[in-house]
Amino acid sequence: MSLEEKKQQVVEDFSVYDEWLDKYEYLIELGKGLEAFPEEKKTEERLIKGCQSRVWLDSEERDGRLYFTADSDAIITKGIISLLISVYSGCTKQEIAADDFGFVAEIGLKDNLSPTRANGLVSMIERIKEIAG
Amino acid sequence: MLEQIRQQFPALSAQVYGKPLVYLDNAATAMRPQSVVDTWTQSVLAGNANIHRAVHYLAGVATEAYEGARDCVQAFINAPSREEIVFTSGATAAVNLVASSFGEAFIQEGDEVVVSAAEHHSNIVPWQLLCERKKSVLKVLDIHDDGELAVEQLESLLSPRTKIVAISHISNVLGLVNPVEEIVRICHAKGVPVLVDGAQGIVHEPVDVQALDCDFYVFSGHKLYAATGTGVLYGKRKWLDAMPPYMGGGEMIKSVSFAKTTYAPLPEKFEAGTQNFNGAPTLVPAIRFVQEARANASVQKEQAAITEYIYTKLIEDERITIYGTPFAHKIPLFSFAVKNAHHEDLALILDKMGIALRSGQMCAEPLMDRLGVTGLLRASFGPYNTLAEAEYFVKSLEKAINMLM
Ligand SMILES: Cc1ncc(COP(=O)(O)O)c(C=O)c1O
């Protein structure tokens, strides 16, 4: 799937939930399904500032494409990061650097999360861009 | 009966995400009663003029309202004189004023300042800044695991170099009333003055600064139903007189020349610049509301019922740990952790159920470290909250926990 298709998919998946609590249920499920992140990788350098919860993000480059792994001590955050990872893992640095991350606003995450959480989300996006940049 | 109290607070009838708002973040800021809104409006519409400076009619109206608020605060905390009531922009500004100005006059290199492990950042950082500037030492009075201050360790913590002890009346995390009278007695026996951070205390406890005999008492208006940007520093005259001005500017001077400037008497000496003349008068209806609520038997009954209900529900639940447990000293403010559920997840879910709660470190990082947590969830109740809301909160919390398990 191309980056555009993956984003479209996420927007569609999200659009079936009208209720916020259902969206959270969905994010919680995603969070629970996130691949285990090794404890020894939870270092200060991988920690993302600006979140009430702690988020660790790691990346690896293979064949010119970036692959992300991540973890958080809060499950909804973990769901959100899992969304971001599923969209951007496998993309080239150029693709990520050129992307505007607008789909995050489209699914309503940015507006409807608490300000501190929204900050955390912004920090996560910034870190992904930083890695690609 | 409570309905009549609730009706005074238009903000409480809000809907959030299509659900009735249940506002349980009163320790962060309280809602404003209509009387406070009206006083503000009145001040802006019919009494808006810079105070103390002009001879015109409106200036007189504004000055009277502002100074009337000072009299009202003086009576409310039973301060010996109105000159000992300094208006500030809040508790934080008041602590900074004392740390800076008292510190300038009385603290030297090697001297010591004592705070507790349970302080809000606003009662830590100003002292740290002072200690850095003066090369003095910040010492910390510990708490017990149940959240009580280790008052029995206070005496041995005081040394001939201790110049001030700054301690909260009630911690914004633990929700326990500290034995401030005893603390003042212990400190005064060694000649050490005491600043009481009353940001939470003033809301929940009657305060008589003469009976308490503290040297300074500070609080914010916005937690006490008044306008934001209002606050009070009570200080004993002997200290305020001996302290140098904190900020320079208009209003705080007697005469200015490039050769020598002399300062205005108390309290103007510490109120540089244009005072918050729209805000300060709102302290009057706010204080009237507090007095009304304290005298209202159904409010008191409801508050006691809420405290007991929440305390019992949370204590009984094996998944939940409350921080600040001695019931005898508990106010309706509960900080807690839920096993295997992050405070932020719970706060997010509860928010979508219409419940406003605080989550995180609550401006008390050293306390979080002491408790061994990265953050907590806090429900803090006000006199307009009902037992029905408390029950809805407990039910919703259960639902939220189940969603996360
Ligand atoms: C115990 C305590 N001290 C100080 C403050 C600071 O108050 P303000 O931010 O209104 O200056 C607060 C407010 O959260 C508090 O709870």
Side-chain angles (χ1 to χ4, degrees):
Chain A
M1 257 197 283
S2 72
L3 175 57
E4 281 315 310
E5 285 167 344
K6 283 193 283 186
K7 290 198 287 191
Q8 207 44 52
Q9 185 69 50
V10 169
V11 173
E12 258 168 48
D13 287 349
F14 241 81
S15 69
V16 302
Y17 305 109
D18 292 332
E19 286 281 331
W20 263 101
L21 289 180
D22 296 333
K23 290 189 192 185
Y24 281 168
E25 294 266 20
Y26 176 61
L27 287 172
I28 290 165
E29 283 318 306
L30 286 179
K32 284 180 179 163
L34 194 63
E35 191 187 326
F37 191 82
E39 280 302 313
E40 67 271 14
K41 279 194 170 180
K42 294 184 181 173
T43 60
E44 195 61 33
E45 305 84 72
R46 296 191 180 93
L47 190 64
I48 299 177
K49 300 274 184 305
C51 311
Q52 214 178 69
S53 46
R54 289 177 296 173
V55 174
W56 297 269
L57 182 71
D58 193 29
S59 65
E60 209 185 324
E61 198 173 351
R62 288 197 302 269
D63 308 327
R65 289 172 187 281
L66 283 175
Y67 294 89
F68 298 97
T69 49
D71 202 357
S72 173
D73 52 357
I75 195 77
I76 295 175
T77 296
K78 212 164 148 175
I80 293 171
I81 192 105
S82 144
L83 262 183
L84 290 176
I85 286 182
S86 70
V87 169
Y88 292 102
S89 266
C91 289
T92 64
K93 284 186 168 178
Q94 291 78 355
E95 281 176 309
I96 297 174
D99 197 68
D100 66 357
F101 287 75
F103 84 102
V104 176
E106 217 171 309
I107 56 181
L109 276 183
K110 224 165 174 170
D111 300 336
N112 279 284
L113 288 171
S114 67
T116 53
R117 176 62 68 107
N119 281 339
L121 190 55
V122 171
S123 308
M124 287 181 218
I125 291 173
E126 272 169 7
R127 177 64 67 90
I128 291 175
K129 281 187 182 161
E130 208 179 281
I131 292 170
Chain B
M1 275 310 276
L2 219 62
E3 217 19 69
Q4 178 220 334
I5 293 279
R6 285 183 71 82
Q7 274 166 8
Q8 297 180 37
F9 291 82
L12 291 176
S13 53
Q15 300 257 323
V16 293
Y17 315 108
K19 299 196 172 62
L21 168 70
V22 176
Y23 187 72
L24 304 183
D25 197 14
N26 292 283
T29 198
M31 294 306 192
R32 326 265 169 258
Q34 187 64 47
S35 57
V36 162
V37 178
D38 290 344
T39 299
W40 172 274
T41 309
Q42 177 75 12
S43 164
V44 172
L45 297 183
N48 195 66
N50 209 328
I51 55 174
H52 295 154
R53 304 176 187 204
V55 296
H56 58 74
Y57 175 82
L58 274 189
V61 172
T63 303
E64 228 165 86
Y66 185 81
E67 293 304 329
R70 202 187 305 276
D71 294 332
C72 177
V73 170
Q74 180 204 343
F76 184 51
I77 62 173
N78 194 30
S81 69
R82 63 191 314 282
E83 289 79 19
E84 292 166 298
I85 304 295
V86 175
F87 283 138
T88 68
S89 65
T92 303
V95 177
N96 275 280
L97 192 164
V98 177
S100 176
S101 176
F102 178 92
E104 191 53 41
F106 299 107
I107 295 181
Q108 315 297 333
E109 185 171 342
D111 283 345
E112 294 164 6
V113 173
V114 174
V115 298
S116 91
E119 296 309 307
H120 188 280
H121 293 164
S122 291
N123 198 28
I124 299 174
V125 184
W127 302 110
Q128 277 180 325
L129 288 169
L130 168 70
C131 287
E132 264 170 43
R133 209 163 58 237
K134 291 278 186 167
K135 300 196 175 58
S136 39
V137 185
L138 191 66
K139 287 186 151 185
V140 181
L141 177 64
D142 199 11
I143 55 169
H144 294 293
D145 290 340
D146 64 0
E148 292 278 23
L149 278 179
V151 177
E152 74 286 354
Q153 295 172 20
L154 177 58
E155 199 174 339
S156 59
L157 203 60
L158 302 177
S159 83
R161 308 250 21 198
T162 311
K163 289 294 144 66
I164 192 164
V165 171
I167 222 131
S168 55
H169 193 169
I170 297 176
S171 140
N172 63 311
V173 175
L174 300 168
L176 300 174
V177 181
N178 289 327
V180 276
E181 290 88 355
E182 190 186 347
I183 289 168
V184 169
R185 221 179 312 115
I186 294 169
C187 292
H188 282 184
K190 296 215 164 182
V192 179
V194 179
L195 176 142
V196 178
D197 172 1
Q200 302 295 336
I202 195 77
V203 182
H204 294 277
E205 290 288 298
V207 173
D208 177 335
V209 291
Q210 293 190 62
L212 180 55
D213 200 27
C214 59
D215 298 272
F216 302 98
Y217 194 95
V218 307
F219 62 90
S220 295
H222 70 94
K223 293 181 201 281
L224 196 72
Y225 323 103
T228 50
T230 61
V232 171
L233 161 65
Y234 157 77
K236 281 185 180 168
R237 184 192 292 271
K238 66 168 177 180
W239 296 120
L240 295 181
D241 273 338
M243 283 157 53
Y246 170 51
M247 288 198 278
E251 256 331 91
M252 52 73 71
I253 46 82
K254 191 148 80 192
S255 82
V256 179
S257 75
F258 286 113
K260 172 133 186 84
T261 292
T262 53
Y263 305 117
L266 292 175
E268 279 81 23
K269 174 175 150 188
F270 291 110
E271 295 184 3
T274 292
Q275 290 102 329
N276 186 357
F277 58 79
N278 290 134
T282 66
L283 283 161
V284 177
I287 287 170
R288 203 176 308 127
F289 169 74
V290 172
Q291 288 166 332
E292 194 187 304
R294 282 181 188 165
N296 184 320
S298 28
V299 170
Q300 293 313 309
K301 213 173 116 211
E302 194 90 353
Q303 290 285 294
I306 290 171
T307 309
E308 185 170 348
Y309 171 76
I310 299 283
Y311 185 86
T312 312
K313 282 289 176 190
L314 298 187
I315 279 266
E316 273 173 7
D317 195 322
E318 281 174 5
R319 302 163 298 183
I320 295 175
T321 310
I322 304 188
Y323 294 88
T325 44
F327 185 73
H329 303 146
K330 198 77 181 155
I331 60 159
L333 183 163
F334 302 89
S335 296
F336 59 96
V338 179
K339 206 170 165 185
N340 298 327
H342 197 280
H343 49 87
E344 190 188 38
D345 287 326
L346 290 166
L348 276 172
I349 296 170
L350 288 164
D351 169 53
K352 296 300 187 291
M353 296 175 174
I355 302 175
L357 293 171
R358 184 71 192 274
S359 63
Q361 302 182 326
M362 291 174 276
C363 299
E365 239 182 289
L367 177 57
M368 296 297 139
D369 291 344
R370 169 66 181 81
L371 299 173
V373 296
T374 59
L376 295 171
L377 207 58
R378 180 184 72 191
S380 54
F381 293 79
Y384 35 65
N385 286 123
T386 63
L387 186 58
E389 287 180 312
E391 286 165 356
Y392 176 69
F393 161 64
V394 168
K395 218 171 66 195
S396 304
L397 179 63
E398 179 65 37
K399 241 162 108 180
I401 294 173
N402 287 335
M403 265 178 78
L404 291 168
M405 292 304 148

